[in-house]
């Protein structure tokens, strides 16, 4: 509708409150966009870290065994620098103080046999000698594997697994273990001893009688960071596209001569 003389009525401006809501929405969308970009970038950084970690672990697995760290080196051991390092150590097993830790392996459910090995300096290192099925948990049923005297072990250095397993906590008082928690095992079964803060997963060298079965360590790292990065960047791109489309559509509608004026209400 036009005024007398054919002049088009002036368009009314948007209500200040409506303009404020649009501005707030725009700021919120921009914040989400920036957050998505930040998450994608963080995953790219995690990808670089994980790739480097895998390369370092692969190098350790391919290296020749070195002497397992002694007391002077214990404080400097870290997961990033030392886990899965191939080590060797010698000493005498204390079979009467072994600990059984529940395990689920490629051979089925059963137990890891963690046995203290006393080194020449008097310190102890817990050695995961390997897997035994549930019906062979009694040491008497695998007496041949209870090596007497001096023994040499090679395997992978592993760090403590505190707490327990999924939804199951270790029970030192009941001697029920669901993870290889070195400090808890040492406190419960080796009081007063100097115990290394790591354990050693024995390699596949066969034990007399066939048990325990060593060499079952699974070395695997989840590495989905590239997928996550692409997901976050993809969402950011979709959001940016939607924002551009909304702005272009608003400008197109504002430029139409028959566009309805916005009311003050």
């Amino acid at each position: 509708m036009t005024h007398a003389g054919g002049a088009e009525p002036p368009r009314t401006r948007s209500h200040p409150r409506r303009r404020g809501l649009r501005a707030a929405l725009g700021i919120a969308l921009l914040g989400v966009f920036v957050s998505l970009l930040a998450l994608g970038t963080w995953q790219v950084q995690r990808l670089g870290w994980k790739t480097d970690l895998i390369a370092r672990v692969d190098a350790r697995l391919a290296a020749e065994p070195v002497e397992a760290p002694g007391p002077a080196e214990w404080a400097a051991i870290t997961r990033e620098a030392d886990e899965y390092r191939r080590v060797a150590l010698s000493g005498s097993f204390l079979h009467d103080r072994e600990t059984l830790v529940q395990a689920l392996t490629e051979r089925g459910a059963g137990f890891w046999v963690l046995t203290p090995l006393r080194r020449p300096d008097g310190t102890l290192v817990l050695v995961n000698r390997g897997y035994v099925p549930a019906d062979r948990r009694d040491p008497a049923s695998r007496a041949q594997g209870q090596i007497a005297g001096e023994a040499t072990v090679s395997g992978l250095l592993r760090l403590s697994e505190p707490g327990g397993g999924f939804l199951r906590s270790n029970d030192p008082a009941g001697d029920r273990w669901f993870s290889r928690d070195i400090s808890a095992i040492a406190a419960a079964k080796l009081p007063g001893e100097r115990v290394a803060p790591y354990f050693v997963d024995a390699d596949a060298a066969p034990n007399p009688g066939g048990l325990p079965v060593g060499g079952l360590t699974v070395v695997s790292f989840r590495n989905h960071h590239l997928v996550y990065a692409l997901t976050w960047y993809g969402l950011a791109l979709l959001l940016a596209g939607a924002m551009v489309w909304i702005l272009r559509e608003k400008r197109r509608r504002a430029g139409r001569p028959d566009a309805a004026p916005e009311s003050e209400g």
Side-chain angles (χ1 to χ4, degrees), residues 12-30 243 246-247 250-251 253-254 260-263:
T12 57
R13 295 184 179 180
S14 298
H15 192 280
R17 184 176 181 182
R18 184 173 296 177
R19 290 200 304 272
L21 288 174
R22 287 176 178 170
L25 178 61
I27 292 172
L29 290 175
L30 180 61
M243 292 169 66
I246 290 172
L247 289 173
K250 180 181 177 183
R251 290 178 180 175
R253 292 180 62 185
E262 297 186 35
S263 66

PDB file of all heavy atoms in Angstrom, residues 12-30 243 246-247 250-251 253-254 260-263:
ATOM      1  N   THR A  12       9.942   0.425   8.790  1.00  0.00           N
ATOM      2  CA  THR A  12      10.257   0.593  10.211  1.00  0.00           C
ATOM      3  C   THR A  12      11.482  -0.233  10.554  1.00  0.00           C
ATOM      4  O   THR A  12      11.718  -1.293   9.987  1.00  0.00           O
ATOM      5  CB  THR A  12       9.074   0.139  11.082  1.00  0.00           C
ATOM      6  OG1 THR A  12       8.767  -1.211  10.770  1.00  0.00           O
ATOM      7  CG2 THR A  12       7.878   1.011  10.828  1.00  0.00           C
ATOM      8  N   ARG A  13      12.286   0.232  11.485  1.00  0.00           N
ATOM      9  CA  ARG A  13      13.486  -0.484  11.903  1.00  0.00           C
ATOM     10  C   ARG A  13      13.135  -1.616  12.865  1.00  0.00           C
ATOM     11  O   ARG A  13      12.091  -1.606  13.497  1.00  0.00           O
ATOM     12  CB  ARG A  13      14.453   0.480  12.586  1.00  0.00           C
ATOM     13  CG  ARG A  13      14.989   1.541  11.634  1.00  0.00           C
ATOM     14  CD  ARG A  13      16.007   2.384  12.368  1.00  0.00           C
ATOM     15  NE  ARG A  13      16.564   3.391  11.481  1.00  0.00           N
ATOM     16  CZ  ARG A  13      17.484   4.268  11.843  1.00  0.00           C
ATOM     17  NH1 ARG A  13      17.935   4.267  13.106  1.00  0.00           N
ATOM     18  NH2 ARG A  13      17.961   5.152  10.981  1.00  0.00           N
ATOM     19  N   SER A  14      14.043  -2.571  12.920  1.00  0.00           N
ATOM     20  CA  SER A  14      13.849  -3.690  13.859  1.00  0.00           C
ATOM     21  C   SER A  14      13.803  -3.168  15.285  1.00  0.00           C
ATOM     22  O   SER A  14      14.471  -2.197  15.637  1.00  0.00           O
ATOM     23  CB  SER A  14      14.997  -4.707  13.738  1.00  0.00           C
ATOM     24  OG  SER A  14      15.034  -5.256  12.442  1.00  0.00           O
ATOM     25  N   HIS A  15      13.030  -3.846  16.069  1.00  0.00           N
ATOM     26  CA  HIS A  15      12.945  -3.515  17.477  1.00  0.00           C
ATOM     27  C   HIS A  15      14.313  -3.748  18.120  1.00  0.00           C
ATOM     28  O   HIS A  15      14.990  -4.753  17.832  1.00  0.00           O
ATOM     29  CB  HIS A  15      11.887  -4.401  18.144  1.00  0.00           C
ATOM     30  CG  HIS A  15      11.519  -3.948  19.522  1.00  0.00           C
ATOM     31  ND1 HIS A  15      12.296  -4.233  20.616  1.00  0.00           N
ATOM     32  CD2 HIS A  15      10.455  -3.234  19.973  1.00  0.00           C
ATOM     33  CE1 HIS A  15      11.729  -3.718  21.693  1.00  0.00           C
ATOM     34  NE2 HIS A  15      10.610  -3.105  21.326  1.00  0.00           N
ATOM     35  N   PRO A  16      14.782  -2.849  18.999  1.00  0.00           N
ATOM     36  CA  PRO A  16      16.107  -3.029  19.620  1.00  0.00           C
ATOM     37  C   PRO A  16      16.268  -4.375  20.313  1.00  0.00           C
ATOM     38  O   PRO A  16      17.350  -4.968  20.296  1.00  0.00           O
ATOM     39  CB  PRO A  16      16.175  -1.874  20.615  1.00  0.00           C
ATOM     40  CG  PRO A  16      15.265  -0.837  20.055  1.00  0.00           C
ATOM     41  CD  PRO A  16      14.148  -1.571  19.389  1.00  0.00           C
ATOM     42  N   ARG A  17      15.194  -4.869  20.947  1.00  0.00           N
ATOM     43  CA  ARG A  17      15.292  -6.155  21.637  1.00  0.00           C
ATOM     44  C   ARG A  17      15.545  -7.288  20.655  1.00  0.00           C
ATOM     45  O   ARG A  17      16.344  -8.193  20.918  1.00  0.00           O
ATOM     46  CB  ARG A  17      14.006  -6.401  22.416  1.00  0.00           C
ATOM     47  CG  ARG A  17      14.021  -7.670  23.261  1.00  0.00           C
ATOM     48  CD  ARG A  17      12.751  -7.764  24.064  1.00  0.00           C
ATOM     49  NE  ARG A  17      12.757  -8.957  24.901  1.00  0.00           N
ATOM     50  CZ  ARG A  17      11.753  -9.321  25.681  1.00  0.00           C
ATOM     51  NH1 ARG A  17      10.663  -8.551  25.751  1.00  0.00           N
ATOM     52  NH2 ARG A  17      11.819 -10.405  26.409  1.00  0.00           N
ATOM     53  N   ARG A  18      14.873  -7.213  19.487  1.00  0.00           N
ATOM     54  CA  ARG A  18      15.076  -8.246  18.475  1.00  0.00           C
ATOM     55  C   ARG A  18      16.494  -8.189  17.913  1.00  0.00           C
ATOM     56  O   ARG A  18      17.129  -9.211  17.681  1.00  0.00           O
ATOM     57  CB  ARG A  18      14.045  -8.078  17.363  1.00  0.00           C
ATOM     58  CG  ARG A  18      14.108  -9.163  16.299  1.00  0.00           C
ATOM     59  CD  ARG A  18      12.966  -9.042  15.320  1.00  0.00           C
ATOM     60  NE  ARG A  18      11.699  -9.249  16.000  1.00  0.00           N
ATOM     61  CZ  ARG A  18      10.512  -9.131  15.385  1.00  0.00           C
ATOM     62  NH1 ARG A  18      10.452  -8.767  14.120  1.00  0.00           N
ATOM     63  NH2 ARG A  18       9.396  -9.329  16.060  1.00  0.00           N
ATOM     64  N   ARG A  19      16.991  -6.990  17.713  1.00  0.00           N
ATOM     65  CA  ARG A  19      18.349  -6.850  17.217  1.00  0.00           C
ATOM     66  C   ARG A  19      19.341  -7.411  18.239  1.00  0.00           C
ATOM     67  O   ARG A  19      20.352  -8.041  17.890  1.00  0.00           O
ATOM     68  CB  ARG A  19      18.659  -5.382  16.932  1.00  0.00           C
ATOM     69  CG  ARG A  19      17.906  -4.814  15.719  1.00  0.00           C
ATOM     70  CD  ARG A  19      18.591  -3.565  15.189  1.00  0.00           C
ATOM     71  NE  ARG A  19      18.744  -2.534  16.203  1.00  0.00           N
ATOM     72  CZ  ARG A  19      17.827  -1.602  16.478  1.00  0.00           C
ATOM     73  NH1 ARG A  19      16.696  -1.582  15.795  1.00  0.00           N
ATOM     74  NH2 ARG A  19      18.038  -0.692  17.413  1.00  0.00           N
ATOM     75  N   GLY A  20      19.048  -7.185  19.530  1.00  0.00           N
ATOM     76  CA  GLY A  20      19.922  -7.717  20.568  1.00  0.00           C
ATOM     77  C   GLY A  20      19.948  -9.234  20.585  1.00  0.00           C
ATOM     78  O   GLY A  20      21.004  -9.854  20.761  1.00  0.00           O
ATOM     79  N   LEU A  21      18.788  -9.857  20.380  1.00  0.00           N
ATOM     80  CA  LEU A  21      18.718 -11.311  20.347  1.00  0.00           C
ATOM     81  C   LEU A  21      19.501 -11.869  19.167  1.00  0.00           C
ATOM     82  O   LEU A  21      20.203 -12.877  19.287  1.00  0.00           O
ATOM     83  CB  LEU A  21      17.256 -11.762  20.276  1.00  0.00           C
ATOM     84  CG  LEU A  21      16.430 -11.577  21.555  1.00  0.00           C
ATOM     85  CD1 LEU A  21      14.971 -11.927  21.308  1.00  0.00           C
ATOM     86  CD2 LEU A  21      16.995 -12.445  22.693  1.00  0.00           C
ATOM     87  N   ARG A  22      19.387 -11.181  18.023  1.00  0.00           N
ATOM     88  CA  ARG A  22      20.127 -11.640  16.845  1.00  0.00           C
ATOM     89  C   ARG A  22      21.625 -11.516  17.068  1.00  0.00           C
ATOM     90  O   ARG A  22      22.396 -12.403  16.682  1.00  0.00           O
ATOM     91  CB  ARG A  22      19.702 -10.820  15.627  1.00  0.00           C
ATOM     92  CG  ARG A  22      18.303 -11.165  15.112  1.00  0.00           C
ATOM     93  CD  ARG A  22      17.933 -10.261  13.976  1.00  0.00           C
ATOM     94  NE  ARG A  22      16.619 -10.606  13.434  1.00  0.00           N
ATOM     95  CZ  ARG A  22      15.951  -9.863  12.565  1.00  0.00           C
ATOM     96  NH1 ARG A  22      16.481  -8.707  12.155  1.00  0.00           N
ATOM     97  NH2 ARG A  22      14.783 -10.245  12.107  1.00  0.00           N
ATOM     98  N   ALA A  23      22.027 -10.428  17.685  1.00  0.00           N
ATOM     99  CA  ALA A  23      23.450 -10.247  17.959  1.00  0.00           C
ATOM    100  C   ALA A  23      23.954 -11.327  18.917  1.00  0.00           C
ATOM    101  O   ALA A  23      25.047 -11.891  18.735  1.00  0.00           O
ATOM    102  CB  ALA A  23      23.696  -8.866  18.546  1.00  0.00           C
ATOM    103  N   ALA A  24      23.155 -11.630  19.953  1.00  0.00           N
ATOM    104  CA  ALA A  24      23.547 -12.657  20.910  1.00  0.00           C
ATOM    105  C   ALA A  24      23.650 -14.021  20.234  1.00  0.00           C
ATOM    106  O   ALA A  24      24.580 -14.798  20.500  1.00  0.00           O
ATOM    107  CB  ALA A  24      22.549 -12.705  22.068  1.00  0.00           C
ATOM    108  N   LEU A  25      22.686 -14.308  19.347  1.00  0.00           N
ATOM    109  CA  LEU A  25      22.721 -15.580  18.620  1.00  0.00           C
ATOM    110  C   LEU A  25      23.952 -15.657  17.734  1.00  0.00           C
ATOM    111  O   LEU A  25      24.619 -16.692  17.661  1.00  0.00           O
ATOM    112  CB  LEU A  25      21.453 -15.732  17.788  1.00  0.00           C
ATOM    113  CG  LEU A  25      21.369 -17.004  16.918  1.00  0.00           C
ATOM    114  CD1 LEU A  25      21.429 -18.245  17.807  1.00  0.00           C
ATOM    115  CD2 LEU A  25      20.084 -16.993  16.095  1.00  0.00           C
ATOM    116  N   GLY A  26      24.268 -14.542  17.073  1.00  0.00           N
ATOM    117  CA  GLY A  26      25.449 -14.525  16.220  1.00  0.00           C
ATOM    118  C   GLY A  26      26.725 -14.762  17.014  1.00  0.00           C
ATOM    119  O   GLY A  26      27.609 -15.518  16.592  1.00  0.00           O
ATOM    120  N   ILE A  27      26.823 -14.125  18.179  1.00  0.00           N
ATOM    121  CA  ILE A  27      28.011 -14.310  19.029  1.00  0.00           C
ATOM    122  C   ILE A  27      28.101 -15.756  19.510  1.00  0.00           C
ATOM    123  O   ILE A  27      29.186 -16.355  19.539  1.00  0.00           O
ATOM    124  CB  ILE A  27      27.959 -13.342  20.222  1.00  0.00           C
ATOM    125  CG1 ILE A  27      28.116 -11.894  19.728  1.00  0.00           C
ATOM    126  CG2 ILE A  27      29.041 -13.675  21.241  1.00  0.00           C
ATOM    127  CD1 ILE A  27      27.891 -10.853  20.803  1.00  0.00           C
ATOM    128  N   ALA A  28      26.945 -16.339  19.879  1.00  0.00           N
ATOM    129  CA  ALA A  28      26.942 -17.726  20.347  1.00  0.00           C
ATOM    130  C   ALA A  28      27.391 -18.681  19.237  1.00  0.00           C
ATOM    131  O   ALA A  28      28.206 -19.585  19.466  1.00  0.00           O
ATOM    132  CB  ALA A  28      25.553 -18.111  20.840  1.00  0.00           C
ATOM    133  N   LEU A  29      26.886 -18.469  18.020  1.00  0.00           N
ATOM    134  CA  LEU A  29      27.278 -19.321  16.897  1.00  0.00           C
ATOM    135  C   LEU A  29      28.763 -19.169  16.590  1.00  0.00           C
ATOM    136  O   LEU A  29      29.450 -20.152  16.281  1.00  0.00           O
ATOM    137  CB  LEU A  29      26.443 -18.984  15.664  1.00  0.00           C
ATOM    138  CG  LEU A  29      24.968 -19.382  15.738  1.00  0.00           C
ATOM    139  CD1 LEU A  29      24.220 -18.884  14.498  1.00  0.00           C
ATOM    140  CD2 LEU A  29      24.823 -20.893  15.864  1.00  0.00           C
ATOM    141  N   LEU A  30      29.258 -17.940  16.671  1.00  0.00           N
ATOM    142  CA  LEU A  30      30.676 -17.718  16.444  1.00  0.00           C
ATOM    143  C   LEU A  30      31.508 -18.439  17.507  1.00  0.00           C
ATOM    144  O   LEU A  30      32.554 -19.023  17.207  1.00  0.00           O
ATOM    145  CB  LEU A  30      30.982 -16.221  16.459  1.00  0.00           C
ATOM    146  CG  LEU A  30      32.453 -15.827  16.222  1.00  0.00           C
ATOM    147  CD1 LEU A  30      32.898 -16.302  14.845  1.00  0.00           C
ATOM    148  CD2 LEU A  30      32.627 -14.314  16.352  1.00  0.00           C
ATOM    149  N   MET A 243      25.815 -20.465   8.584  1.00  0.00           N
ATOM    150  CA  MET A 243      25.832 -19.041   8.936  1.00  0.00           C
ATOM    151  C   MET A 243      25.891 -18.167   7.688  1.00  0.00           C
ATOM    152  O   MET A 243      25.200 -17.143   7.588  1.00  0.00           O
ATOM    153  CB  MET A 243      27.023 -18.756   9.855  1.00  0.00           C
ATOM    154  CG  MET A 243      26.905 -19.400  11.236  1.00  0.00           C
ATOM    155  SD  MET A 243      28.458 -19.313  12.195  1.00  0.00           S
ATOM    156  CE  MET A 243      28.585 -17.531  12.446  1.00  0.00           C
ATOM    157  N   ILE A 246      22.461 -18.182   5.997  1.00  0.00           N
ATOM    158  CA  ILE A 246      21.485 -17.350   6.710  1.00  0.00           C
ATOM    159  C   ILE A 246      21.717 -15.872   6.418  1.00  0.00           C
ATOM    160  O   ILE A 246      20.776 -15.110   6.155  1.00  0.00           O
ATOM    161  CB  ILE A 246      21.574 -17.627   8.229  1.00  0.00           C
ATOM    162  CG1 ILE A 246      21.040 -19.037   8.531  1.00  0.00           C
ATOM    163  CG2 ILE A 246      20.784 -16.590   9.018  1.00  0.00           C
ATOM    164  CD1 ILE A 246      21.271 -19.477   9.967  1.00  0.00           C
ATOM    165  N   LEU A 247      22.983 -15.442   6.422  1.00  0.00           N
ATOM    166  CA  LEU A 247      23.289 -14.037   6.148  1.00  0.00           C
ATOM    167  C   LEU A 247      22.916 -13.652   4.721  1.00  0.00           C
ATOM    168  O   LEU A 247      22.331 -12.586   4.476  1.00  0.00           O
ATOM    169  CB  LEU A 247      24.776 -13.766   6.406  1.00  0.00           C
ATOM    170  CG  LEU A 247      25.216 -13.787   7.876  1.00  0.00           C
ATOM    171  CD1 LEU A 247      26.728 -13.678   7.973  1.00  0.00           C
ATOM    172  CD2 LEU A 247      24.544 -12.666   8.656  1.00  0.00           C
ATOM    173  N   LYS A 250      19.172 -13.436   4.432  1.00  0.00           N
ATOM    174  CA  LYS A 250      18.647 -12.221   5.057  1.00  0.00           C
ATOM    175  C   LYS A 250      18.855 -11.013   4.157  1.00  0.00           C
ATOM    176  O   LYS A 250      17.950 -10.173   3.990  1.00  0.00           O
ATOM    177  CB  LYS A 250      19.333 -12.012   6.409  1.00  0.00           C
ATOM    178  CG  LYS A 250      18.848 -10.773   7.153  1.00  0.00           C
ATOM    179  CD  LYS A 250      19.572 -10.611   8.466  1.00  0.00           C
ATOM    180  CE  LYS A 250      19.115  -9.324   9.168  1.00  0.00           C
ATOM    181  NZ  LYS A 250      19.853  -9.105  10.431  1.00  0.00           N
ATOM    182  N   ARG A 251      20.045 -10.901   3.562  1.00  0.00           N
ATOM    183  CA  ARG A 251      20.321  -9.779   2.667  1.00  0.00           C
ATOM    184  C   ARG A 251      19.449  -9.838   1.422  1.00  0.00           C
ATOM    185  O   ARG A 251      18.984  -8.809   0.922  1.00  0.00           O
ATOM    186  CB  ARG A 251      21.796  -9.779   2.286  1.00  0.00           C
ATOM    187  CG  ARG A 251      22.719  -9.402   3.437  1.00  0.00           C
ATOM    188  CD  ARG A 251      24.165  -9.475   3.017  1.00  0.00           C
ATOM    189  NE  ARG A 251      25.053  -9.116   4.124  1.00  0.00           N
ATOM    190  CZ  ARG A 251      26.379  -9.179   4.065  1.00  0.00           C
ATOM    191  NH1 ARG A 251      26.976  -9.588   2.943  1.00  0.00           N
ATOM    192  NH2 ARG A 251      27.094  -8.832   5.120  1.00  0.00           N
ATOM    193  N   ARG A 253      16.469 -11.147   1.157  1.00  0.00           N
ATOM    194  CA  ARG A 253      15.102 -10.772   1.502  1.00  0.00           C
ATOM    195  C   ARG A 253      15.003  -9.280   1.792  1.00  0.00           C
ATOM    196  O   ARG A 253      14.023  -8.625   1.460  1.00  0.00           O
ATOM    197  CB  ARG A 253      14.647 -11.575   2.724  1.00  0.00           C
ATOM    198  CG  ARG A 253      14.472 -13.072   2.423  1.00  0.00           C
ATOM    199  CD  ARG A 253      14.023 -13.818   3.653  1.00  0.00           C
ATOM    200  NE  ARG A 253      12.719 -13.326   4.115  1.00  0.00           N
ATOM    201  CZ  ARG A 253      12.119 -13.735   5.226  1.00  0.00           C
ATOM    202  NH1 ARG A 253      12.723 -14.619   5.994  1.00  0.00           N
ATOM    203  NH2 ARG A 253      10.947 -13.245   5.570  1.00  0.00           N
ATOM    204  N   ALA A 254      16.038  -8.725   2.411  1.00  0.00           N
ATOM    205  CA  ALA A 254      16.019  -7.288   2.709  1.00  0.00           C
ATOM    206  C   ALA A 254      16.056  -6.458   1.425  1.00  0.00           C
ATOM    207  O   ALA A 254      15.552  -5.328   1.382  1.00  0.00           O
ATOM    208  CB  ALA A 254      17.199  -6.922   3.595  1.00  0.00           C
ATOM    209  N   ALA A 260       8.343  -7.406   3.492  1.00  0.00           N
ATOM    210  CA  ALA A 260       7.461  -6.860   4.528  1.00  0.00           C
ATOM    211  C   ALA A 260       8.301  -6.123   5.576  1.00  0.00           C
ATOM    212  O   ALA A 260       9.334  -6.623   6.006  1.00  0.00           O
ATOM    213  CB  ALA A 260       6.667  -7.986   5.185  1.00  0.00           C
ATOM    214  N   PRO A 261       7.854  -4.956   5.991  1.00  0.00           N
ATOM    215  CA  PRO A 261       8.594  -4.226   7.031  1.00  0.00           C
ATOM    216  C   PRO A 261       8.480  -4.931   8.362  1.00  0.00           C
ATOM    217  O   PRO A 261       7.485  -5.587   8.649  1.00  0.00           O
ATOM    218  CB  PRO A 261       7.904  -2.866   7.055  1.00  0.00           C
ATOM    219  CG  PRO A 261       6.505  -3.129   6.590  1.00  0.00           C
ATOM    220  CD  PRO A 261       6.648  -4.203   5.539  1.00  0.00           C
ATOM    221  N   GLU A 262       9.554  -4.803   9.147  1.00  0.00           N
ATOM    222  CA  GLU A 262       9.524  -5.397  10.496  1.00  0.00           C
ATOM    223  C   GLU A 262       8.835  -4.444  11.437  1.00  0.00           C
ATOM    224  O   GLU A 262       9.099  -3.241  11.452  1.00  0.00           O
ATOM    225  CB  GLU A 262      10.969  -5.674  10.953  1.00  0.00           C
ATOM    226  CG  GLU A 262      11.675  -6.674  10.071  1.00  0.00           C
ATOM    227  CD  GLU A 262      13.014  -7.013  10.637  1.00  0.00           C
ATOM    228  OE1 GLU A 262      13.137  -7.061  11.873  1.00  0.00           O
ATOM    229  OE2 GLU A 262      13.965  -7.234   9.868  1.00  0.00           O
ATOM    230  N   SER A 263       7.984  -4.978  12.245  1.00  0.00           N
ATOM    231  CA  SER A 263       7.209  -4.147  13.180  1.00  0.00           C
ATOM    232  C   SER A 263       8.039  -3.811  14.398  1.00  0.00           C
ATOM    233  O   SER A 263       9.028  -4.474  14.705  1.00  0.00           O
ATOM    234  CB  SER A 263       5.943  -4.887  13.608  1.00  0.00           C
ATOM    235  OG  SER A 263       6.287  -6.014  14.363  1.00  0.00           O
TER     236      SER A 263
END
